[in-house]
Amino acid sequence: MDSQAHPELTSTKLTSTELASTETSSTIVERDAADDDLANRGAKPEADAPRATSNRSTTPSSSTFADYISSNWADREETLPAPRESAAFAATRRARISAQYPGKRLIVPAGAAKVRSNDTDYPYRAHSAFAHLTGWGADSEPGAVLVLEPTGEGHEATLYFRERAGRDSDEFYANPEIGEFWIGPRPSLAQVESDLGLATEHLSAFQEVLASCDTDTVVVRDADPDTTRALDERRRRSASPATGDDPVREADDALARDLSELRLVKDEWEIQQMRLAVDATARGFDDVIADRPAIVAHPRGERLVEGTFNRRARADGNTVGYDTIAASGPHACILHWTRNDGAVREGDLILLDAGIELESYYTADITRTLPVSGTFTPVQRRVYEAVLDAADAAFAIVRPGIRFREIHAEAMRVIAERTAEWGLLPVSAEESLEADKQYHRRYMVHGTSHHLGMDVHDCAKARRELYLDGRLEEGMVFTIEPGLYFQPDDLSVPEEYRGIGVRIEDDILVTAGGAENLSVGIPRTADDVEAWMRNAG
Ligand code: GLY
Ligand code: MN
């Protein structure tokens, strides 16, 4: 990492108090000491402070050096971008949530970077609710906060973030977390304002917002624990004497639910992003198939599968939307096998469950199960075609107006029928499908569908009556992913089935007249899969 490669550099920092005094002095209002403490925590002063220890922290601190490095830089050209395409859609989403919360201040943090270990972070990922309401995705600034301030008619949106520092501060050369010398160019307030079509303010001004919060403020609680803690304290202080319940907490939970439900139906721009995510993912699957010889030759071929797919994700998208599942042989029976340290052997199946997330954060979620040798054995093909029939039957009923849960029921009907036909169930398919029996579920313990979007399991906080029990609407996107998994040590099935795991997963868009399988271009039938493998050489 660069910071360790340059142990001679040290850092000094502007605390948030200093930031506030140098950059927002005109907006500072009188506060008591507790408010200062609260505001400082909310603005995460520790994020201003590089996490350098004395061992790696030796940047020259003399004023001679500071003067020298701060001078003789060319003026920056401040070009203001045209609003990005998603800006208008994000504005519509903000208007919809605004209409649900008259008179309430809504706080939607992007969240801070998360520590991986010591002084290294995971790649930054803003909270999905923040990205949805701002249109800011992979290029979001860590620590940014969207505030919807109630006005007479609705809300005024302001995006607070840490604008890049000028060359007259030491941030740009001495701060490994945010300095432009270290992490590259960062935007100005004016650039982001123009890009996202949103009013912007420096993050230090968010302290004033925090300090004036009361019980009419609602926050996305899981986006940034520091902000939530600071707000809870502030709201507790402004609340009338405590009653038995916790109205502030209830309001926060309702906001999380409503923001989740706001994403159930995708707008035109989101649908286009989903198509692009699926296309990129299709290229990743092609890459893996083309790499078959190297994958089979390597003792940890599953790692090569992951590496090849993830390389495409970085090349064509932001990253993967979730950890790639590269599960060969009996590993295919482990639903979320992400250790991916096994061999990929001729004669086995390999289950690849993977999705590319774009810079906008929209992700695909696709599974194909492939015969490593290029040809299914008869029993592998039998299992594969049963799963495909379940997927096709489920897809066939998708149209606006049916209940989400019917998709799963339809897939399970086929799974029960096939496993009964093969003599695997102690009862008939019909009896197994009774709610209190469900023997066939031994071989598919997971659900058939989940909503898909910015999160692989999108809209997770939506109410059951709008999700599982809800009716499909045009513009919804979800997976259909039945499977059959016969564990290697499952004595309830004949030996020939043991160790076979198959899942087929597609990304489905509900249209006005029915449905579109967005991932239908990735081979699905057993014959097409075999041809795909053959043609890759
Ligand atoms: N693709 C992983 C999952 O849906 O859980
Ligand atoms: Mn899935």
Side-chain angles (χ1 to χ4, degrees):
M1 307 291 303
D2 355 347
S3 51
Q4 274 127 16
H6 300 281
E8 74 282 6
L9 289 176
T10 192
S11 345
T12 56
K13 64 156 188 158
L14 281 181
T15 65
S16 61
T17 312
E18 287 164 335
L19 276 170
S21 63
T22 57
E23 299 186 40
T24 61
S25 52
S26 59
T27 62
I28 296 286
V29 295
E30 289 292 310
R31 303 192 295 258
D32 61 23
D35 279 342
D36 271 336
D37 180 46
L38 168 73
N40 287 342
R41 269 184 288 127
K44 287 185 293 306
E46 66 274 16
D48 293 328
R51 285 168 289 187
T53 64
S54 55
N55 286 327
R56 67 170 241 226
S57 172
T58 56
T59 298
S61 55
S62 68
S63 58
T64 305
F65 175 76
D67 288 346
Y68 187 63
I69 196 167
S70 298
S71 62
N72 218 6
W73 300 101
D75 285 342
R76 295 187 207 241
E77 274 189 38
E78 174 87 340
T79 47
L80 297 184
R84 62 179 71 182
E85 213 185 323
S86 61
F89 293 93
T92 302
R93 299 169 202 151
R94 290 195 297 275
R96 288 180 59 199
I97 201 70
S98 160
Q100 290 179 258
Y101 284 84
K104 300 284 183 191
R105 175 187 274 164
L106 306 183
I107 298 189
V108 188
K114 295 187 173 67
V115 176
R116 179 173 185 270
S117 180
N118 187 31
D119 60 355
T120 54
D121 291 334
Y122 289 106
Y124 180 67
R125 170 61 152 84
H127 194 282
S128 294
F130 172 89
H132 191 236
L133 294 178
T134 59
W136 226 5
D139 54 344
S140 311
E141 285 288 311
V145 188
L146 174 70
V147 177
L148 298 186
E149 191 68 34
T151 60
E153 292 97 62
H155 289 79
E156 227 167 64
T158 304
L159 181 58
Y160 296 84
F161 73 96
R162 199 184 310 275
E163 183 181 37
R164 65 170 180 230
R167 261 69 185 264
D168 52 350
S169 104
D170 64 358
E171 176 189 296
F172 85 100
Y173 68 89
N175 188 323
E177 277 84 46
I178 57 173
E180 290 188 279
F181 239 102
W182 298 80
I183 65 165
R186 288 176 41 225
S188 68
L189 292 173
Q191 282 171 333
V192 173
E193 185 154 330
S194 175
D195 185 7
L196 300 179
L198 257 174
T200 54
E201 293 240 29
H202 195 279
L203 186 61
S204 55
F206 178 62
Q207 295 174 40
E208 306 310 317
V209 178
L210 267 179
S212 68
C213 283
D214 58 18
T215 52
D216 277 337
T217 301
V218 194
V219 66
V220 173
R221 296 189 70 80
D222 62 346
D224 185 64
D226 288 345
T227 300
T228 302
R229 242 190 322 275
L231 266 170
D232 279 349
E233 196 175 305
R234 178 78 216 176
R235 292 183 295 183
R236 223 179 354 260
R237 276 196 268 150
S238 72
S240 45
T243 55
D245 46 10
D246 185 350
V248 157
R249 181 61 200 248
E250 280 171 25
D252 290 350
D253 290 346
L255 178 63
R257 178 199 70 204
D258 292 339
L259 288 172
S260 219
E261 291 173 359
L262 189 63
R263 286 158 50 197
L264 279 167
V265 174
K266 271 60 184 174
D267 59 38
E268 189 191 315
W269 188 82
E270 291 178 294
I271 291 168
Q272 184 57 16
Q273 292 299 299
M274 293 305 299
R275 289 186 194 283
L276 295 172
V278 168
D279 291 349
T281 301
R283 292 191 288 277
F285 275 74
D286 282 338
D287 292 345
V288 168
I289 286 182
D291 252 6
R292 198 192 75 97
I295 289 165
V296 171
H298 197 281
R300 294 207 294 176
E302 290 176 346
R303 285 285 165 95
L304 265 66
V305 171
E306 176 187 326
T308 297
F309 183 84
N310 293 15
R311 173 179 142 143
R312 177 62 71 173
R314 288 296 284 161
D316 289 10
N318 179 39
T319 181
V320 288
Y322 53 95
D323 286 344
T324 295
I325 298 168
S328 194
H331 289 159
C333 302
I334 300 168
L335 302 179
H336 284 172
W337 173 257
T338 53
R339 207 180 303 160
N340 301 343
D341 62 355
V344 175
R345 296 190 175 88
E346 302 278 1
D348 280 346
L349 297 176
I350 174 154
L351 183 157
L352 174 58
D353 181 339
I356 292 181
E357 172 190 287
L358 304 181
E359 305 289 322
S360 59
Y361 288 164
Y362 289 87
T363 186
D365 176 10
I366 294 168
T367 308
R368 290 293 183 264
T369 308
L370 315 164
V372 176
S373 64
T375 312
F376 290 100
T377 66
V379 65
Q380 287 170 349
R381 184 178 264 261
R382 191 184 314 149
V383 175
Y384 188 91
E385 290 188 330
V387 174
L388 186 67
D389 287 348
D392 288 347
F395 177 71
I397 67 163
V398 177
R399 61 186 153 72
I402 70 158
R403 289 198 191 277
F404 189 79
R405 57 165 60 259
E406 291 176 58
I407 305 165
H408 175 66
E410 190 59 12
M412 288 309 93
R413 182 184 59 73
V414 175
I415 294 293
E417 283 171 5
R418 293 293 188 283
T419 49
E421 255 170 50
W422 302 336
L424 307 185
L425 305 183
V427 297
S428 67
E430 198 179 35
E431 190 178 342
S432 189
L433 285 164
E434 289 170 15
D436 60 343
K437 303 274 176 43
Q438 302 284 310
Y439 294 101
H440 55 284
R441 296 297 301 279
R442 177 178 178 123
Y443 310 117
M444 181 185 148
V445 296
H446 61 78
T448 302
S449 295
H450 57 79
H451 278 268
L452 183 65
M454 277 197 192
D455 286 316
V456 61
H457 298 155
D458 214 35
C459 315
K461 292 184 173 162
R463 279 167 289 186
R464 192 183 170 95
E465 58 264 38
L466 293 181
Y467 196 137
L468 203 53
D469 296 335
R471 292 195 183 276
L472 298 191
E473 290 179 48
E474 182 182 353
M476 287 181 167
V477 177
F478 50 79
T479 65
I480 292 183
E481 51 176 311
L484 274 171
Y485 314 89
F486 300 110
Q487 303 297 331
D489 56 350
D490 187 341
L491 303 183
S492 76
V493 297
E495 206 170 338
E496 60 172 347
Y497 288 98
R498 294 182 202 156
I500 293 180
V502 172
R503 178 162 63 251
I504 302 170
E505 177 173 27
D506 287 289
D507 299 344
I508 311 300
L509 166 69
V510 182
T511 59
E516 179 185 343
N517 181 345
L518 301 177
S519 45
V520 74
I522 306 177
R524 297 175 73 249
T525 67
D527 287 346
D528 286 350
V529 166
E530 287 182 349
W532 190 23
M533 302 288 286
R534 253 196 325 272
N535 295 339

